[in-house]
Amino acid sequence: MHFSLFYFADGQGRGREQYRLLLEGARFADAHGFSAVWTPERHFHEFGGQYPNPAVIGAALASVTERIGIRAGSVVGPLHHPVRIAEEWSVVDNLSEGRVGLSFASGWHANDFVLRPENYAGRKEVLIETIDTVRRLWRQEEVTLPNGDGNPVAVRSYPAPVQSELPVWLTSAGSPDTFRQAGEQGLGLLTHLLGQDLEDLAKKIAAYRAALPGGAGGAAGQVALMLHTFLGTDRDAVRETVRRPFTDYIRSSIGLIMKAAGDILPGVNPDELDEDDLEFLVERSFDRYFDTGGLFGTVEDGLATLERLDALGIDEVACLIDFGVDPDQVLAGLEHLDRLKDAWAARGAGS
């Protein structure tokens, strides 16, 4: 099992300081053998709003790291022209000497589609077309597209990337159809535990692997699971450290959580909740995440969680570390995460 860092901050403030955790965390992960750093694409909301373009962030990460993978988690394909995606990320691939990987998402928030409103209704179909075009351009194939006069013209994107094949994942919020689609397309899979428990996830992963074509390359067959993460030396102390920032984080993102996790309060509109109901929902969500939906506690707690995930067929744990805990505490906690990584590797070496 691989370990990576995932960022989706509820960012505030201005200037370089708001990216300190990202940059220092990436340097730590690079020096300690983590597999990748993932950054999202978010628009028009403070929750994740530090990351409107993961390619720009990826270029910054390429300049401060040497070995670690630089990944988008995710590029919202229908919001962009595929040529721009291929061009921007090929630059990052060159800057990083071939360390780029992309997870694509269809998008779901209508307001995001002010960037390309014509793609909202058919976004799932547009996504698959976009992925196909980006992969062809990445291979330096000519692609025929309409020019300003409406006439077809064959184009090839530049610069040529370092990697001959782009590693691609498909992001799924839990839809079984998306799991199967990722398999059928020969893509990797990036998912989380919003709105799905481990039993459900196991069934979906089995369906994903059953749909994979034989001999698929790139990221195919690789399942990455995003988990909120903070480790320390005492489970109760960890709970108290993360309680306030994580409940604030949940509160700021409650609309996203309820959209993805209808099992918490089915059919409830978060905008219509009174303050007491909202706080009940936030506390219930915190307990669920801490106990069963995250990577929290001690190294020993983490090993028990990893055993459950390994049984499901998870290939990578994408550790979301920026949910409001003081950056210095988070950076110190990476030492415990590194010990967990090494302890898990030692178990595999001894089996």
Side-chain angles (χ1 to χ4, degrees):
M1 189 180 297
H2 299 282
F3 293 78
S4 57
L5 299 185
F6 198 106
Y7 291 82
F8 203 138
D10 183 11
Q12 303 288 335
R14 298 172 184 265
R16 188 181 180 88
E17 179 63 21
Q18 64 183 311
Y19 296 102
R20 182 169 72 91
L21 178 58
L22 169 71
L23 297 174
E24 293 189 21
R27 291 188 184 100
F28 180 94
D30 189 52
H32 289 82
F34 286 69
S35 62
V37 176
W38 302 81
T39 56
E41 175 183 345
R42 282 287 286 152
H43 302 283
F44 316 128
H45 200 288
E46 64 183 15
F47 181 73
Q50 291 169 265
Y51 303 101
N53 186 337
V56 173
I57 296 294
L61 293 175
S63 70
V64 299
T65 60
E66 297 180 357
R67 295 170 292 277
I68 199 164
I70 299 171
R71 299 181 190 160
S74 310
V75 171
V76 184
L79 298 184
H80 309 286
H81 196 288
V83 173
R84 292 298 293 163
I85 298 173
E87 289 176 340
E88 291 176 359
W89 282 100
S90 183
V91 170
V92 181
D93 203 52
N94 278 274
L95 289 171
S96 66
E97 294 288 353
R99 293 185 276 136
V100 157
L102 304 185
S103 190
F104 283 87
S106 62
W108 62 271
H109 201 296
N111 289 351
D112 289 354
F113 281 80
V114 300
L115 298 173
R116 294 194 77 182
E118 70 277 10
N119 283 347
Y120 181 65
R123 58 193 180 280
K124 294 187 182 297
E125 294 76 17
V126 172
L127 174 63
I128 297 304
E129 295 171 3
T130 297
I131 292 173
D132 178 66
T133 302
V134 170
R135 296 176 91 181
R136 291 172 59 199
L137 290 165
W138 194 272
R139 300 182 190 115
Q140 291 293 280
E141 297 178 15
E142 285 192 344
V143 174
T144 300
L145 298 165
N147 67 9
D149 296 321
N151 298 317
V153 59
V155 297
R156 179 181 289 119
S157 66
Y158 294 96
V162 173
Q163 297 177 95
S164 59
E165 188 73 28
L166 174 65
V168 177
W169 289 254
L170 193 62
T171 301
S172 175
S175 167
D177 290 340
T178 307
F179 277 71
R180 285 192 293 270
Q181 187 177 50
E184 292 166 356
Q185 296 291 324
L187 308 177
L189 184 73
L190 173 65
T191 190
H192 51 66
L193 289 177
L194 287 169
Q196 54 184 343
D197 60 25
L198 294 180
E199 184 178 351
D200 290 336
L201 184 58
K203 296 175 182 176
K204 294 170 189 175
I205 290 174
Y208 162 70
R209 296 199 188 281
L212 284 166
Q222 205 259 18
V223 178
L225 179 68
M226 185 276 286
L227 289 178
H228 293 80
T229 299
F230 187 85
L231 298 177
T233 57
D234 180 87
R235 181 177 177 84
D236 291 336
V238 167
R239 181 185 285 270
E240 291 312 305
T241 297
V242 305
R243 179 182 293 279
R244 181 168 181 178
F246 196 33
T247 52
D248 288 345
Y249 178 90
I250 292 170
R251 190 179 294 107
S252 72
S253 60
I254 200 68
L256 291 176
I257 290 173
M258 293 185 68
K259 171 75 175 181
D263 62 327
I264 295 176
L265 284 178
V268 176
N269 183 345
D271 296 329
E272 297 175 354
L273 292 173
D274 62 31
E275 186 173 344
D276 289 341
D277 288 338
L278 179 61
E279 288 309 305
F280 168 78
L281 178 59
V282 168
E283 289 297 327
R284 183 172 175 183
S285 298
F286 172 80
D287 290 337
R288 177 190 177 211
Y289 278 118
F290 191 90
D291 293 332
T292 63
L295 191 58
F296 292 117
T298 65
V299 169
E300 290 71 24
D301 294 325
L303 287 170
T305 298
L306 294 179
E307 288 177 355
R308 293 192 294 272
L309 299 181
D310 186 54
L312 299 183
I314 301 298
D315 301 292
E316 178 176 320
V317 178
C319 303
L320 195 158
I321 61 172
D322 64 333
F323 51 87
V325 176
D326 177 77
D328 290 325
Q329 288 183 286
V330 175
L331 291 169
L334 292 180
E335 297 286 352
H336 301 289
L337 182 58
D338 186 45
R339 284 199 285 274
L340 173 63
K341 175 178 64 67
D342 292 345
W344 181 258
R347 283 193 175 193
S351 62

